[in-house]
Amino acid sequence: MNPPTVTVHDSTLRDGQHAVRHQLDADKIRTYAAAADTAGVPVLEVGHGNGIGASSRQVGLSKTDDATMLTTAREAMPHSRLATLMLPGWATSTDLRCAIHHGVDIVRVAAHCTEADVTERHLGVIRDLGAEAQGVLLMSHLAQPEELAAQCRRMVDYGAQAVCIFDSAGTYLPEDVTTRITAITTAVDVPVAFHGHNNLGMAVANSLTAVRAGARVLDACARGFGAGAGNSQLEVLVAVLERYGHTTGIDLRLVAQAADLAERTLMPAPPTIDSTSLVSGLAGVFSGFKKPVLAAAQQAGVSPWDVFVELGRRRVLAGQEDLIPDAINTLTSLGERP
């Protein structure tokens, strides 16, 4: 049998925003979007790191507003589909209508891995507006395979035309991916996607494992540009998929050039797996906590490693950065120091 076709969903201009505190400007968005389109990338996701409507002091003020980001990318991409992300609680139905008005083809509605119920209304609105609605489960390692499958089934019942699980903390090993993707593909009849982070250096391997377990959509970023240790590296993933015989429709040489461009223009340096990113993956804490943890730990004179361990014990979620001082207070009361 021929290896299945895999759709690669490029989230460089959304997940990568976490790495630069959401400061990408219109020129950088336009240049990379055009390069990705020329390379044949089928889907490019654009927006604030936490999705449309999320620019705030709590999670970071965006340099460029949602409308400008989306229209800039849309104008630069005559071929690729434009996607964006939304989290209920940050974005509203008004944000959805504006995004689709500005040319968005696909909207992903994201929720904590056990809270698919909050996606129902927004998935319906997206379908009513004529865009493709996809459901996303964040921090998916915090749920067992059967629970993830049930939550994905619920999102499909709400109208999701694809479902995706995020390894938000980069904590999965291949067997973790196999059990979860297998359970989900058994439970739903829509495409299943996997979004890998690279805290343990497993993002590409986990993505390939997801395909073998039945996923047909993989997320990736140029040079791995993303929160913490970054994401599955786009150009490497495409090359490895090609070696295994999977068709992606992406020109490998041109996507490698797009990645070179991304490294020069989007990021101060490509993501690396430093000790903080490593412990984030081991503790199961969202990669986006890296910068606020480092800053708070330095100010308090405690070890960021210990802060991540404490946050992992508390099973914190993205958006709960306000718990970092509480975790530090616990450590200082115990006399923890670097």
Side-chain angles (χ1 to χ4, degrees):
M1 296 178 62
N2 292 327
T5 297
V6 176
T7 299
V8 177
H9 187 119
D10 181 352
S11 52
T12 301
L13 295 178
R14 198 277 305 166
D15 213 326
Q17 291 269 26
H18 287 296
V20 290
R21 298 184 183 272
H22 319 286
Q23 296 302 295
L24 295 182
D25 60 30
D27 287 341
K28 291 177 179 179
I29 290 169
R30 180 183 300 106
T31 302
Y32 180 77
D37 183 84
T38 299
V41 170
V43 180
L44 186 68
E45 186 173 294
V46 177
H48 183 281
N50 293 71
I52 55 174
S55 178
S56 65
R57 293 191 181 278
Q58 182 177 352
V59 294
L61 292 169
S62 182
K63 182 174 185 176
T64 310
D65 63 84
D66 292 339
T68 300
M69 285 191 277
L70 296 173
T71 55
T72 298
R74 178 73 283 165
E75 291 167 358
M77 299 190 310
H79 307 104
S80 302
R81 301 177 78 194
L82 176 62
T84 197
L85 179 82
M86 71 151 295
L87 281 75
W90 290 116
T92 65
S93 295
T94 298
D95 293 313
L96 285 177
R97 292 185 176 89
C98 289
I100 293 169
H101 172 74
H102 291 301
V104 167
D105 303 296
I106 300 168
V107 182
R108 284 178 155 182
V109 184
H112 180 60
C113 59
T114 58
E115 298 175 358
D117 287 353
V118 303
T119 68
E120 180 176 10
R121 179 168 177 268
H122 300 293
L123 288 169
V125 169
I126 295 162
R127 294 289 298 268
D128 290 344
L129 292 172
E132 181 175 329
Q134 298 187 2
V136 169
L137 296 179
L138 304 172
M139 299 291 285
S140 61
H141 68 284
L142 294 177
Q144 293 301 310
E146 297 76 14
E147 175 68 11
L148 288 177
Q151 295 288 324
C152 286
R153 178 70 256 174
R154 194 167 295 168
M155 291 192 294
V156 172
D157 291 342
Y158 297 154
Q161 294 157 282
V163 293
C164 180
I165 60 169
F166 276 30
D167 180 16
S168 307
T171 194
Y172 280 153
L173 298 176
E175 51 267 35
D176 302 316
V177 177
T178 297
T179 56
R180 285 163 171 80
I181 296 295
T182 299
I184 294 167
T185 55
T186 301
V188 303
D189 56 1
V190 299
V192 174
F194 176 74
H195 176 106
H197 280 246
N198 204 41
N199 297 64
L200 302 182
M202 300 299 296
V204 170
N206 285 339
S207 297
L208 291 171
T209 300
V211 171
R212 292 179 182 135
R216 294 295 176 262
V217 181
L218 297 176
D219 290 8
C221 297
R223 286 291 190 277
F225 187 43
N231 295 44
S232 185
Q233 193 166 333
L234 173 66
E235 63 280 11
V236 175
L237 180 63
V238 172
V240 175
L241 287 169
E242 186 174 291
R243 285 286 305 275
Y244 276 106
H246 296 284
T247 299
T248 65
I250 297 173
D251 185 298
L252 178 56
R253 182 168 182 170
L254 292 179
V255 82
Q257 292 174 2
D260 292 340
L261 173 70
E263 182 175 349
R264 291 195 307 271
T265 64
L266 302 183
M267 60 194 82
T272 58
I273 306 173
D274 59 20
S275 59
T276 305
S277 297
L278 176 62
V279 71
S280 173
L282 292 172
V285 176
F286 171 52
S287 300
F289 274 70
K290 179 179 179 179
K291 289 185 177 180
V293 165
L294 286 174
Q298 181 178 17
Q299 182 176 8
V302 298
S303 166
W305 184 285
D306 292 330
V307 177
F308 269 107
V309 171
E310 175 63 19
L311 292 170
R313 186 187 67 80
R314 294 172 180 232
R315 296 166 70 89
V316 297
L317 310 178
Q320 292 184 318
E321 288 85 353
D322 57 335
L323 294 180
I324 294 172
D326 288 341
I328 290 175
N329 287 338
T330 297
L331 295 174
T332 54
S333 70
L334 296 173
E336 299 287 351
R337 284 293 183 267

